[in-house]
Amino acid sequence: MSVSDRRPHPPGTVVAHTTAGAVAGERTGGITVFRGVPYAQPPVGPLRFASPRPPLPWSGVRDATAFGPASFQSIVPGSGEDSLHANVWTPHTTGSRPVLVYVHGGGWERGAGHLPTYDGARLAARTDMVVVTFNYRLGAFGFGLHEDLTDPLTGSCANWGLQDQAALVRWVHDNAAAFGGDPAALTLCGTSAGGASVRQLALLPETGALVRHLVPISACHIWAPANSLTPEDSRTVYEALAKDFGTTVAGLRDVPAGALKDAWERFFSGPPTGRRVESGREYRGPVVDGRWLPAHDVDMPSPAHPSLVVHTRTEGSFYTCPERPTAPTAPATEAELREAVRDVLLKGTAKADDALVDACLRAYREAAAAEDLPADPLSLWTEIWGDLLFRFQILRLAGRHARTGRSPQYVMEFAHPVRPPYFGTPHEATSKFVFGTHGLPENVAEFGDGPLEKRISDTFMDLVASFARTGAPRSAYAPQWPAFSPERPSTLIVGGDRVAQVAAAPKLRQLRFWDDAGVVPCP
C-alpha cells in the first residue's frame, strides 16, 4: 500500500481501482462521480496523430474530482490536447450494473463529455446504471488521413478520434467492475456524430464484441461529400497545411496546436463552393481508410446488435431557428427560399442547378399538402435540411435492417416541442431528456422544466435503461412497443401531452425525393 493509499481521504471520497491505478471520486446525492480519469496517454508531441496508447500507471491515489479539459477546439473554453479522459457516474462501486457509454456529438470538431447537459448523475440515479462520458480527439487532430502520419506501432494513419473511441470502449470493458458495472453489459449510446460513432464502433471487430446494445440518436451517418473528406482530399488538406507552415506533413506534429487548429478551420471556412477540396462540405468526420472506417455507413452492413434508433421530429430546426446566433437568415420570399434550399443541397453535392432546386421544393410542397404539414418557407427549409443530413439515412437504414437484419430494432421519433421563440423538435433536443438536464439554466428556456417535461425525461430514461438491461425498451409511461417495420405502426412517438404512443413512421412521403435525387446515398 502506498503512502497515498494510507492517507485519509476527505469525507465523501470513494476510491476505485482501475487497471492503471487507484482514483478517488466524489460521493454526493447518492451517486459517486469520478471525473477526468485518463483512459489513454496524452496525444501530444510525437503522439499527436498516433494511435492512442494505454494510460501510464501511477502510484498512490489519483484525484478524480475535477473534469479534464475538452479536446482542442474553438467552442469549449479551456480545451487542450491532453484530453483523453473518462467520467463515470455510479450508484455504488460494488455490484454488477449495466453500463451506458455515451459518445458526445458536435460534428467531429466540437463538444465534450463533461458539458453540463451530459451530467450523468440523474440518469445513473434513476436507472441504477453506470454512466460513462468521455472526450476524443476532434478536428484536424482527430479526423483525417495521410500516410505520412502512419503510426509505426499500429500501421494506422487516419481517424485518430475514432481510434480514441475504440480505446475508451476497451478501457470501460476492462474497468467496469471497478465502478460497479458489468463488463458484459455495455450499451453504446451517442448523438449526432456520436450516434454515427455508435454504429461504426459496433462494426469494428475489437469493439463490437465488447458491446451488447446500441442506442444511436440522430446519427449523422458518414458519406462524402457532406460530412467526410475523401482520402484524396484529406491528403490535399494536410499537404497544404504543411506547406503553409513551411514543414512536412509529419512535421505538423511540431506545429503549435492553436495555430494548426486555426489553419484547419480557415481551410474550411466560407461556402464549400469556394474551397480547394470538394468533400467535407458540412462536417469533416471519419475518412474511409480501409481499417477504422472500411466504407461509408450506407455501404456497411447493419450491426448485429439489438438497436434502439432515435431521431427527432424536425432535425433541421437545430440549424434554422432564427433565435439561434449561428443560424442563417430565415428565407421569407420565394426567391430567398430557393437560394436557401440550393445552399442546403450544396452540402451534399458539388452542383445544385435550378432543376434540382425545383424538384426538391415541389416534392416537399406536395408532401406537405398530402400530410397536412406546414409549407411556409421556414418549415420547408427546415425539413429539407434535417432530412438531407439526418432523417433520410436514419430511416432508410432502419428500413433496410427491418428487411435484412437478424437482431431486434426499435425506432423512436422524439417529438416534444421546444418552447417559443424556438420551434419544432430540433436535433440534439434528445440529450437534455436522456440525461434529465432540460431544467439546467442553459437549457430551461428552450426545453422547459414542468411536470410534463419531467415525465417525458423519465420515460426516455426508462426506455433506454430497460433496453440496456434486456434488449426490449419498456416504460410504465409508454405502451408496448413492437420491433420496427416500415409497413405498420411501429414507431414510438415520444413527446407532447400523450407522452408516448405507437404510430406509423411520420413524414415518409417527403423522403421519397432523396431516393432518386442522387444527392444523398440511398441504402
Side-chain angles (χ1 to χ4, degrees):
M1 181 178 288
S2 71
V3 173
S4 294
D5 285 325
R6 292 195 301 265
R7 185 176 60 205
H9 299 292
T13 295
V14 177
V15 175
H17 295 270
T18 76
T19 50
V23 290
E26 179 182 17
R27 183 79 178 171
T28 179
I31 294 294
T32 301
V33 56
F34 298 85
R35 304 178 179 94
V37 182
Y39 70 86
Q41 292 181 40
V44 299
L47 293 185
R48 181 189 285 176
F49 304 121
S51 300
R53 306 292 197 260
L56 295 174
W58 58 84
S59 60
V61 179
R62 182 186 180 111
D63 180 76
T65 59
F67 291 117
S71 290
F72 212 81
Q73 60 188 282
S74 295
I75 303 300
V76 180
S79 65
E81 286 191 271
D82 182 3
S83 63
L84 303 186
H85 302 101
N87 315 298
V88 183
W89 289 263
T90 181
H92 295 284
T93 53
T94 58
S96 187
R97 297 167 181 80
V99 181
L100 184 82
V101 177
Y102 184 81
V103 189
H104 76 78
W108 300 276
E109 62 186 6
R110 59 176 68 96
H114 69 264
L115 294 179
T117 287
Y118 310 131
D119 186 305
R122 298 165 186 82
L123 180 58
R126 178 172 178 84
T127 64
D128 194 36
M129 290 193 299
V130 177
V131 178
V132 181
T133 69
F134 66 104
N135 298 332
Y136 53 93
R137 279 174 282 184
L138 302 169
F141 307 93
F143 295 96
L145 173 150
H146 201 289
E147 288 75 8
D148 289 355
L149 300 174
T150 298
D151 187 317
L153 292 185
T154 66
S156 294
C157 66
N159 298 324
W160 308 281
L162 189 57
Q163 293 186 57
D164 293 343
Q165 295 172 6
L168 180 280
V169 173
R170 166 59 69 181
W171 182 88
V172 171
H173 177 270
D174 292 346
N175 290 279
F179 299 104
D182 180 358
L186 269 59
T187 293
L188 286 183
C189 178
T191 307
S192 192
S197 300
V198 163
R199 182 185 180 91
Q200 291 147 11
L201 291 166
L203 291 172
L204 288 173
E206 55 267 83
T207 49
L210 306 181
V211 175
R212 181 184 289 180
H213 301 130
L214 310 178
V215 186
I217 302 174
S218 294
C220 190
H221 287 295
I222 284 293
W223 54 287
N227 51 32
S228 176
L229 291 167
T230 64
E232 296 78 9
D233 282 352
S234 184
R235 295 183 189 103
T236 296
V237 176
Y238 283 107
E239 288 164 9
L241 295 180
K243 182 178 180 181
D244 290 345
F245 284 113
T247 186
T248 62
V249 171
L252 291 173
R253 292 188 174 94
D254 301 319
V255 172
L260 181 55
K261 172 187 67 67
D262 292 345
W264 176 270
E265 292 176 355
R266 285 195 301 272
F267 194 98
F268 293 105
S269 64
T273 52
R275 298 175 191 162
R276 283 183 276 177
V277 296
E278 286 197 350
S279 58
R281 299 174 80 82
E282 178 74 359
Y283 296 122
R284 273 69 62 188
V287 180
V288 172
D289 64 347
R291 168 64 177 90
W292 297 100
L293 187 70
H296 290 141
D297 291 354
V298 71
D299 298 318
M300 294 283 283
S302 296
H305 310 68
S307 298
L308 170 50
V309 176
V310 184
H311 64 89
T312 71
R313 172 151 292 181
T314 54
E315 295 276 358
S317 57
F318 179 84
Y319 301 92
T320 63
C321 177
E323 294 300 314
R324 296 189 185 278
T326 58
T329 301
T333 66
E334 180 66 18
E336 290 173 351
L337 175 61
R338 288 178 55 79
E339 291 312 303
V341 168
R342 192 188 311 274
D343 287 343
V344 172
L345 293 168
L346 286 171
K347 298 175 187 299
T349 181
K351 182 181 180 182
D353 58 20
D354 289 343
L356 183 62
V357 174
D358 289 339
C360 183
L361 280 169
R362 182 169 55 252
Y364 272 74
R365 283 184 169 128
E366 289 174 354
E371 300 183 4
D372 196 25
L373 299 171
D376 59 281
L378 178 59
S379 295
L380 291 173
W381 183 45
T382 294
E383 295 285 4
I384 292 166
W385 198 324
D387 287 353
L388 179 143
L389 283 181
F390 303 103
R391 206 171 65 95
F392 173 73
Q393 283 204 346
I394 290 171
L395 286 174
R396 289 296 186 254
L397 285 168
R400 187 182 74 179
H401 184 84
R403 296 189 303 272
T404 64
R406 297 183 178 180
S407 57
Q409 176 192 226
Y410 300 87
V411 173
M412 176 200 297
E413 180 186 84
F414 187 69
H416 193 61
V418 294
R419 296 189 170 190
Y422 302 95
F423 78 97
T425 309
H427 182 72
E428 261 288 5
T430 47
S431 55
K432 288 76 177 175
F433 292 86
V434 171
F435 286 94
T437 53
H438 50 89
L440 292 180
E442 58 263 52
N443 293 334
V444 68
E446 185 171 358
F447 299 98
D449 191 27
L452 180 58
E453 283 75 26
K454 176 68 163 57
R455 175 66 59 89
I456 287 167
S457 181
D458 289 348
T459 302
F460 209 154
M461 290 185 190
D462 293 348
L463 291 167
V464 169
S466 60
F467 181 71
R469 281 187 163 83
T470 68
R474 298 289 183 262
S475 170
Y477 308 127
Q480 287 289 108
W481 180 10
F484 180 66
S485 171
E487 288 75 34
R488 61 187 174 90
S490 57
T491 297
L492 188 69
I493 313 296
V494 175
D497 292 339
R498 295 184 62 179
V499 180
Q501 57 183 308
V502 174
K507 298 189 298 184
L508 291 180
R509 186 184 183 102
Q510 65 193 37
L511 297 184
R512 297 175 190 170
F513 166 76
W514 306 103
D515 288 325
D516 303 314
V519 177
V520 186
C522 182

